[in-house]
Amino acid sequence: MATTTDKIPHRERRPSMGAPIVDIQGAVGPAGISRPKHKRTLTGFGAGEIKAVEASIPEPQREAWLKHQVSGFKDKDGFEREVVRHVETTLARSLFNCDESAAYAACALALRDRLILEWNRTQQRQTFADSKRVYYLSLEFLMGRALDNAMLNVGQKDLAKAGLAELGFRIEDVIQQEHDAALGNGGLGRLAACFLDSLASLNFPAWGYGLRYRYGIFKQEIIDGYQVEVPDYWLDFNPWEFPRHDVTVDIQFYGNVRKSTDEFGKTVCHWEGGEMVKAVAYDVPIPGYGTPTTNNLRLWSSKAASGEFDFQKFNSGDYESSVAEQQRAETISAVLYPNDNLDRGKELRLKQQYFWVAASLYDIVRRFKKTKRSWKEFPEQVAIQLNDTHPTLAIVELQRILIDLEGLEWDEAWNIVVNTFGYTNHTVLPEALEKWSVPLIQHLLPRHLQIIYEINLYFLQDVERKFPGDRELLRDVSIIEESQPKMVRMAFLAIVGSHKVNGVAELHSDLIKTTIFKDFVKIFGPDKFTNVTNGITPRRWLHQANPRLSELIASKTGDHGFLTDLTKLNQLEHYINDKEFRKEWAEIKYANKVRLAKHIKATTGVTVNPSALFDVQVKRIHEYKRQQMNIFGVIHRYLTLKAMTPEERQKQLPRVSIFGGKAAPGYWMAKQIIHLINSVGAVVNNDKDIGDLLKVVFLEDYNVSKAEIIIPASDISEHISTAGTEASGTSNMKFVLNGGLIIGTCDGANIEITREIGEQNIFLFGHLAEEVEDLRHAHVYEKQHNIDPDLARVFEEIEKGTFGNPQDFAGMISAVRDHGDYYLVSDDFQSYVDTQKLVDNAYRNQEEWVTKCIESVARMGFFSSDRCINEYAEEIWNIEPLKVEADQAAAASS
């Protein structure tokens, strides 16, 4: 909670200049005096104030300021001068001890200085325009490395490359020094990062709000084939963030609710007592491509509200608890997705979510109040997008601010709330929809639970009026689930509290309307629900990850215009039969495979042949994504090769199976899948009979910068989730944009990719989404579950101990054989194996394969995150981009 009024008479004393006060038996000072509190200052001005302040500045001051105004480097000499200055003054190093990490730091700081100038101008421009802004709330922002992205977006990479070369460094080595920002894990966070890039590149006034995790989710190490989680110390040096120690918000937890009556006879609720934690803002500039617009990502870090150190406890010998409050506070923003297998983990997760949304809303409301507008204009100035259910408490928090702190009537406040929020759903799995127990919310956020119950009551009364007597419907759509204990269904709260709900692929949006949210479609009508198919930013996923391919495309399309209008890729179809173009295309793919082969050798010690077919599945490890089916398929291939004569083997196509991804720390089955992959690799990679015909590689600690090496090198990538379980997927788009083909199920965005690139350019297999429920029912209730014979052979080989202790993998086999095969591994296995044979045959015909790849890339224009953002802006947010003068845009890309 952002404290604006104090309920107890409260006096602040000035910081003590003398001896510290210690606890003595009995009182040593008057009651009600707090420790010294940090006084926050106003950050920035409203549109009206900034004009008045500007007019009041005396002319001599203005002249002096303008005369010495900083300007970013304009040429190579200017860049070198900035780098050397930062090496010698910021880093206190010299020509003699400047290594690659120091060169990275200085280069990043030189570029950051330039970004700050555009960042400040962007904020001023947006404040002057006083137009509607969008705020994107996401628990994850998987940003990747910032230096390369920033250099490309401001058009300075060639200049920096030449400058660094003169100073004695290769730009590739310098870029490698940067640690990935550990602010996310999977597709949810990468989508948020792509959206920030597009919002800036399209000149929309937008802010991102997230948490500044000190240790990320975790750094994955593979030891003896097992995943081991270690802290990810990514913040050792981060030149891309700015601590805003003047932007702090006090957030309240626990306590109790007191009711009183004001002078007008209205009941007023006061949330009192409990614990305070301070949120401190850290800002990260987000540069747009070829535009001066540089938007802001604000991340919140947690600190103890009363300061870091309790002097009284320390002086009385209680050293450990003198810092306990600080340690307890800092755990809130320590780790992304703390393990919630324990109750304390659940409480920490909920604490994290409220801390983040309360600080963000305080900031958004503060910014709005500076405009001096009436509250009814709030939705005309503010659009807030909830990226999945994690920020759903923002709906309750805004309602609390409006009714408890600003004194609005319930109906007026609720109308503002609903018209402000949009909700993006990312799952069709009912078990993946967030729920929090009522006792936990009662304990942690007592006032919010009261408001949730009121929201639910008014909603159910409305449903009863529309559908009188339908008690089953009331039970099914209630935000409160009548279980033991009662649970708050966050997705239902997000639907009720938003004016638009969107899915992220056509199949997904149709499925949520016909399955998990079908009752809400009945209540609100179909117009509340829409689809915005996900997309990716071509700036990072083509221009940055695959520079040679980007340059080849630019040479045929005339310029780099395809990076801002991806539909221009369709011009490549004119060159499908151009021999030189095809030759260079194939050479670029081979060079990318050589680069990945070197990375594999350096990190795993396994030697792979770049001429082999590279088969890649890199994503979060989860049973529904079916990495287990992939590795069962690999074992099947291995057994088939082993059964051949040496002469038959020589005719087979060599293949490298590449896996990567993290398993959640508490997800036992996913960790077993990783163990099996590594165990199979240990056997196959050392089998002299097989040699180069099959290699199995698990790349540890998969992240954005590793994806930038892996994705351009893929020949075939696996997107093989059980039909109807993957909302969209975005890695499928990245692989195809880089000239790789897909083997996949009819799930998520695979369907729309097929429609765009043509069925002849994708390898689809498996049952359809509409068949899944009947198959599951037959497995469990009709006992119609015969294990595929080829899969049964794979299971026998695992149980013989070929790949290590069979007990280690018994759970994985049992899930398929004895427990209903929920993810239909056996049902789809034969289709999967047969389709892999089609892949082998297609790859043998390299001429035809290259044609498929070029056609696919040429038809990927639809899958740009720029198209997504324009759809959100038009259908959900109702915002316009800010006009940027042509000369400013030219200066940004010069």
Side-chain angles (χ1 to χ4, degrees):
M1 162 190 156
T3 52
T4 53
T5 55
D6 289 304
K7 316 304 181 280
I8 304 167
H10 188 81
R11 288 178 290 159
E12 293 205 350
R13 65 175 175 78
R14 286 173 300 182
S16 169
M17 300 300 174
I21 297 168
V22 294
D23 286 325
I24 306 169
Q25 207 61 33
V28 292
I33 292 185
S34 71
R35 295 199 196 144
K37 267 288 193 72
H38 173 84
K39 277 247 181 49
R40 72 177 302 283
T41 59
L42 278 174
T43 58
F45 299 97
E49 295 165 303
I50 201 166
K51 288 166 188 167
V53 169
E54 190 178 41
S56 70
I57 298 170
E59 199 56 40
Q61 269 185 41
R62 191 195 303 270
E63 277 179 23
W65 199 270
L66 292 173
K67 180 180 170 187
H68 300 294
Q69 208 166 33
V70 177
S71 63
F73 60 84
K74 300 275 194 306
D75 53 24
K76 181 161 63 71
D77 281 351
F79 170 75
E80 289 174 21
R81 185 163 51 250
E82 286 296 293
V83 169
V84 171
R85 179 175 70 81
H86 277 299
V87 168
E88 295 189 342
T89 61
T90 312
L91 305 174
R93 298 235 192 158
S94 71
L95 166 67
F96 304 105
N97 64 351
C98 178
D99 56 11
E100 280 161 356
S101 66
Y104 158 68
C107 183
L109 291 165
L111 208 78
R112 185 194 75 167
D113 290 351
R114 183 187 163 121
L115 283 189
I116 293 167
L117 303 173
E118 294 299 354
W119 186 34
N120 279 328
R121 289 186 197 116
T122 300
Q123 299 311 314
Q124 287 163 12
R125 200 160 52 242
Q126 291 178 2
T127 302
F128 269 122
D130 202 19
S131 59
K132 188 173 187 177
R133 288 189 194 195
V134 62
Y135 298 99
Y136 197 80
L137 267 57
S138 179
L139 203 53
E140 296 185 39
F141 288 96
L142 197 55
M143 303 302 291
R145 288 175 174 154
L147 175 61
D148 200 10
N149 185 246
M151 287 190 294
L152 288 166
N153 275 12
V154 301
Q156 298 290 358
K157 186 166 182 181
D158 290 342
L159 181 150
K161 184 175 184 177
L164 285 168
E166 284 194 0
L167 294 170
F169 296 97
R170 286 176 69 246
I171 195 168
E172 294 79 8
D173 298 333
V174 170
I175 289 167
Q176 291 296 320
Q177 301 303 309
E178 184 175 357
H179 206 121
D180 273 39
L183 296 170
N185 178 37
L188 183 89
R190 189 49 236 174
L191 181 76
C194 284
F195 279 6
L196 290 186
D197 179 87
S198 286
L199 283 161
S201 299
L202 295 168
N203 301 310
F204 281 106
W207 282 50
Y209 277 105
L211 281 175
R212 178 180 178 266
Y213 304 104
R214 220 162 49 256
Y215 305 117
I217 185 164
F218 58 82
K219 187 171 184 290
Q220 181 194 54
E221 291 184 358
I222 301 298
I223 299 174
D224 297 335
Y226 292 92
Q227 169 179 295
V228 176
E229 302 96 25
V230 298
D232 188 353
Y233 298 106
W234 71 284
L235 280 171
D236 288 348
F237 175 76
N238 182 17
W240 304 104
E241 66 175 15
F242 295 89
R244 299 291 202 191
H245 294 301
D246 57 333
V247 183
T248 63
V249 188
D250 283 342
I251 309 297
Q252 184 176 354
F253 296 103
Y254 312 112
N256 54 73
V257 180
R258 177 176 61 83
K259 291 188 176 180
S260 67
T261 307
D262 66 12
E263 62 267 32
F264 306 109
K266 181 182 167 188
T267 302
V268 182
C269 292
H270 308 275
W271 181 17
E272 297 175 346
E275 174 182 279
M276 285 289 183
V277 175
K278 185 188 291 180
V280 181
Y282 285 75
D283 288 348
V284 180
I286 307 294
Y289 175 79
T291 170
T293 299
T294 303
N295 281 338
N296 195 39
L297 168 60
R298 177 157 284 177
L299 304 171
W300 298 103
S301 187
S302 54
K303 296 266 189 289
S306 54
E308 295 187 12
F309 188 64
D310 190 320
F311 233 128
Q312 286 90 325
K313 285 181 177 172
F314 186 85
N315 282 346
S316 58
D318 196 355
Y319 305 130
E320 288 79 11
S321 67
S322 67
V323 291
E325 192 177 344
Q326 175 68 2
Q327 287 171 340
R328 195 166 65 250
E330 286 188 353
T331 58
I332 292 174
S333 61
V335 172
L336 168 64
Y337 300 138
N339 188 351
D340 64 352
N341 289 358
L342 306 167
D343 285 342
R344 288 190 68 187
K346 287 184 174 66
E347 182 176 318
L348 181 56
R349 273 206 191 191
L350 187 59
K351 230 178 177 180
Q352 233 178 25
Q353 291 183 8
Y354 178 66
F355 170 84
W356 153 55
V357 300
S360 303
L361 269 174
Y362 178 86
D363 212 37
I364 292 165
V365 166
R366 174 186 61 77
R367 200 170 292 117
F368 171 77
K369 286 174 79 170
K370 285 193 298 193
T371 67
K372 308 285 196 291
R373 282 182 163 85
S374 67
W375 279 109
K376 70 174 186 293
E377 294 179 70
F378 189 81
E380 294 162 25
Q381 288 295 109
V382 173
I384 302 176
Q385 191 66 26
L386 307 175
N387 192 25
D388 214 356
T389 52
H390 310 125
T392 305
L393 282 171
I395 289 169
V396 190
E397 175 67 2
L398 182 56
Q399 182 72 357
R400 187 190 69 79
I401 290 168
L402 295 176
I403 60 174
D404 287 2
L405 305 182
E406 301 298 336
L408 272 65
E409 294 297 331
W410 179 277
D411 288 347
E412 184 188 1
W414 186 243
N415 189 48
I416 290 167
V417 169
V418 171
N419 285 305
T420 297
F421 286 100
Y423 160 52
T424 301
N425 172 270
H426 284 277
T427 183
V428 288
L429 304 177
E431 66 272 20
L433 294 174
E434 262 194 320
K435 295 176 191 175
W436 295 108
S437 79
V438 165
L440 174 58
I441 299 178
Q442 170 74 54
H443 175 57
L444 193 67
L445 303 166
R447 177 62 183 134
H448 293 74
L449 185 67
Q450 291 178 351
I451 293 170
I452 289 167
Y453 266 96
E454 287 185 69
I455 291 169
N456 196 41
L457 174 65
Y458 293 134
F459 168 59
L460 293 181
Q461 286 174 345
D462 191 39
V463 174
E464 175 63 29
R465 279 192 293 274
K466 287 181 185 171
F467 304 94
D470 193 341
R471 294 188 181 179
E472 195 176 329
L473 178 65
L474 290 179
R475 189 192 66 234
D476 289 347
V477 299
S478 173
I479 293 166
I480 309 296
E481 181 180 81
E482 299 297 329
S483 52
Q484 283 298 328
K486 291 182 178 179
M487 304 293 280
V488 176
R489 303 192 263 211
M490 302 308 276
F492 289 13
L493 177 56
I495 293 169
V496 173
S498 300
H499 66 283
K500 277 284 187 187
V501 177
N502 73 282
V504 289
E506 282 177 15
L507 173 69
H508 169 234
S509 296
D510 289 343
L511 280 172
I512 63 174
K513 285 195 283 187
T514 55
T515 58
I516 50 177
F517 301 149
K518 66 178 186 292
D519 292 326
F520 290 95
V521 176
K522 184 175 167 185
I523 293 161
F524 292 113
D527 289 351
K528 179 163 182 156
F529 296 84
T530 187
N531 173 62
V532 182
T533 298
N534 281 345
I536 58 174
T537 169
R539 273 80 63 178
R540 182 176 287 270
W541 293 112
L542 181 54
H543 194 44
Q544 180 175 330
N546 205 341
R548 277 188 65 190
L549 185 59
S550 180
E551 292 310 314
L552 177 63
I553 293 169
S555 73
K556 297 303 178 190
T557 58
D559 56 21
H560 285 101
F562 64 92
L563 294 174
T564 46
D565 179 3
L566 201 59
T567 59
K568 289 183 177 178
L569 288 176
N570 62 14
Q571 295 171 40
L572 294 178
E573 295 219 35
H574 301 312
Y575 302 96
I576 279 182
N577 297 317
D578 180 325
K579 280 188 179 174
E580 280 305 309
F581 176 67
R582 293 170 64 88
K583 183 174 172 232
E584 193 170 347
W585 186 283
E587 281 173 3
I588 289 168
K589 176 61 77 175
Y590 186 76
N592 287 331
K593 290 172 74 174
V594 169
R595 179 176 66 158
L596 177 56
K598 286 178 180 170
H599 176 79
I600 290 169
K601 178 67 176 172
T603 55
T604 68
V606 177
T607 303
V608 300
N609 177 3
S611 300
L613 184 149
F614 278 20
D615 171 351
V616 180
Q617 189 179 19
V618 284
K619 51 186 75 215
R620 239 171 2 107
I621 310 293
H622 198 291
E623 287 167 278
Y624 89 81
K625 292 179 185 284
R626 299 204 292 192
Q627 286 95 344
Q628 70 275 37
M629 186 163 78
N630 187 346
I631 193 61
F632 293 156
V634 170
I635 295 171
H636 174 265
R637 181 178 285 269
Y638 173 65
L639 296 177
T640 306
L641 288 168
K642 285 291 278 183
M644 289 178 180
T645 64
E647 292 73 37
E648 286 174 316
R649 277 192 211 124
Q650 282 182 341
K651 298 173 190 167
Q652 301 307 307
L653 184 77
R655 184 182 285 232
V656 181
S657 283
I658 298 162
F659 295 83
K662 294 177 181 178
Y667 191 175
W668 178 83
M669 189 71 89
K671 290 173 127 175
Q672 286 303 312
I673 292 170
I674 292 174
H675 185 209
L676 179 59
I677 293 166
N678 285 300
S679 301
V680 171
V683 172
V684 172
N685 299 342
N686 294 301
D687 190 323
K688 290 188 170 52
D689 291 344
I690 301 302
D692 271 356
L693 283 178
L694 182 61
K695 296 288 183 188
V696 182
V697 175
F698 188 95
L699 294 172
E700 70 178 18
D701 203 39
Y702 178 62
N703 57 20
V704 175
S705 50
K706 289 192 177 72
E708 289 167 18
I709 298 172
I710 296 164
I711 290 170
S714 162
D715 291 310
I716 193 91
S717 60
E718 310 228 1
H719 308 275
I720 56 176
S721 51
T722 311
T725 60
E726 185 73 88
S728 166
T730 51
S731 66
N732 43 10
M733 303 168 192
K734 291 160 197 160
F735 280 104
V736 179
L737 187 62
N738 280 277
L741 301 185
I742 282 178
I743 178 169
T745 47
C746 293
D747 198 22
N750 287 356
I751 294 167
E752 285 153 275
I753 291 172
T754 305
R755 188 177 65 206
E756 294 294 320
I757 68 174
E759 283 185 32
Q760 73 279 13
N761 295 325
I762 190 165
F763 298 90
L764 294 175
F765 74 94
H767 288 89
L768 302 178
E770 51 266 34
E771 301 169 316
V772 169
E773 279 309 312
D774 289 344
L775 284 165
R776 284 173 176 162
H777 186 273
H779 290 179
V780 177
Y781 298 106
E782 297 165 27
K783 300 297 179 191
Q784 293 175 7
H785 186 39
N786 300 316
I787 299 294
D788 178 87
D790 283 337
L791 185 60
R793 230 171 90 240
V794 168
F795 288 171
E796 282 168 28
E797 201 66 26
I798 294 171
E799 288 173 330
K800 265 170 49 184
T802 303
F803 307 106
N805 184 350
Q807 276 306 107
D808 289 348
F809 314 117
M812 213 181 304
I813 294 172
S814 184
V816 176
R817 199 160 53 194
D818 311 319
H819 298 294
D821 192 11
Y822 187 78
Y823 296 106
L824 310 190
V825 173
S826 179
D827 300 83
D828 283 350
F829 192 72
Q830 196 56 53
S831 172
Y832 176 64
V833 169
D834 291 344
T835 308
Q836 288 285 18
K837 289 174 187 164
L838 295 178
V839 172
D840 285 347
N841 292 334
Y843 193 73
R844 288 175 194 281
N845 183 346
Q846 272 298 298
E847 285 300 306
E848 188 58 35
W849 187 272
V850 170
T851 300
K852 287 176 183 289
C853 295
I854 296 170
E855 267 184 13
S856 299
V857 174
R859 297 171 184 178
M860 281 298 287
F862 177 76
F863 298 100
S864 168
S865 50
D866 294 353
R867 186 261 318 150
C868 296
I869 290 301
N870 281 321
E871 287 182 20
Y872 276 103
E874 194 168 317
E875 294 178 33
I876 299 173
W877 302 332
N878 190 26
I879 63 165
E880 297 285 333
L882 275 188
K883 285 189 173 63
V884 176
E885 300 305 320
D887 58 335
Q888 289 179 305
S893 56
S894 66

